[in-house]
Amino acid sequence: MTTVTSPLAGRAIGLANVPDPVFSGAMVGPGTAIDPVREPTTAVAPVDGLVVSMHPHAFVVMDEDGHGVLTHLGIDTVQLNGEGFELLVSKGDQVKRGQPVIAWNPAAVEAAGKSPISPIVALEASVEQLGAVAESGEVATGGELFTWN
């Protein structure tokens, strides 16, 4: 079983409340979302593993069991063309849970007209594989978001 922890501090809101139909409909996969604290922050790795995908606004870490966890920083943030995001690791790097991955400012994303709400998704998983999914309440960076069987 994999425990997925929060890459960000904020409030868990569940995927159904993400203002994007692809995420809210769990088309990318099941998981949850964080409405992050509005201050400069660093998104951290939600699991130990290999960075298999890296973009200014999103990254995927795959653990040793082959579970890929997507962290998507904000909604439609690809349209910001990387502005305001600083990559701290590279695709192909091994990371440890809690290791800084991307520095960004949710308040600046919001000021640019985008939602800073950040989905954390279990790629290629079914809803039945996830347990103890955090869908409400305050979450600290590194707090448990869900388990993946």
Side-chain angles (χ1 to χ4, degrees):
M1 182 174 70
T2 298
T3 297
V4 176
T5 56
S6 185
L8 301 164
R11 191 170 45 89
I13 62 165
L15 279 185
N17 296 306
V18 173
D20 179 290
V22 173
F23 287 111
S24 64
M27 291 180 229
V28 180
T32 191
I34 300 295
D35 189 358
V37 175
R38 303 300 195 270
E39 60 189 28
T41 190
T42 302
V44 303
V47 293
D48 293 347
L50 180 69
V51 178
V52 295
S53 181
M54 190 73 192
H55 301 279
H57 64 282
F59 61 94
V60 176
V61 178
M62 186 171 293
D63 74 5
E64 63 185 9
D65 296 326
H67 294 145
V69 179
L70 167 67
T71 299
H72 199 286
L73 302 175
I75 301 300
D76 293 331
T77 44
V78 66
Q79 297 168 5
L80 299 177
N81 297 314
E83 190 169 323
F85 297 88
E86 179 188 358
L87 278 56
L88 306 175
V89 301
S90 300
K91 182 178 177 180
D93 286 356
Q94 285 286 339
V95 293
K96 291 285 186 196
R97 178 190 314 274
Q99 180 176 337
V101 177
I102 297 176
W104 71 304
N105 185 346
V109 165
E110 199 165 52
K114 307 298 178 194
S115 170
I117 289 172
S118 300
I120 295 86
V121 175
L123 298 175
E124 299 180 23
S126 66
V127 171
E128 297 76 31
Q129 289 176 282
L130 302 191
V133 179
E135 297 205 3
S136 63
E138 296 302 311
V139 179
T141 302
E144 190 171 312
L145 286 184
F146 55 86
T147 58
W148 186 346
N149 293 314

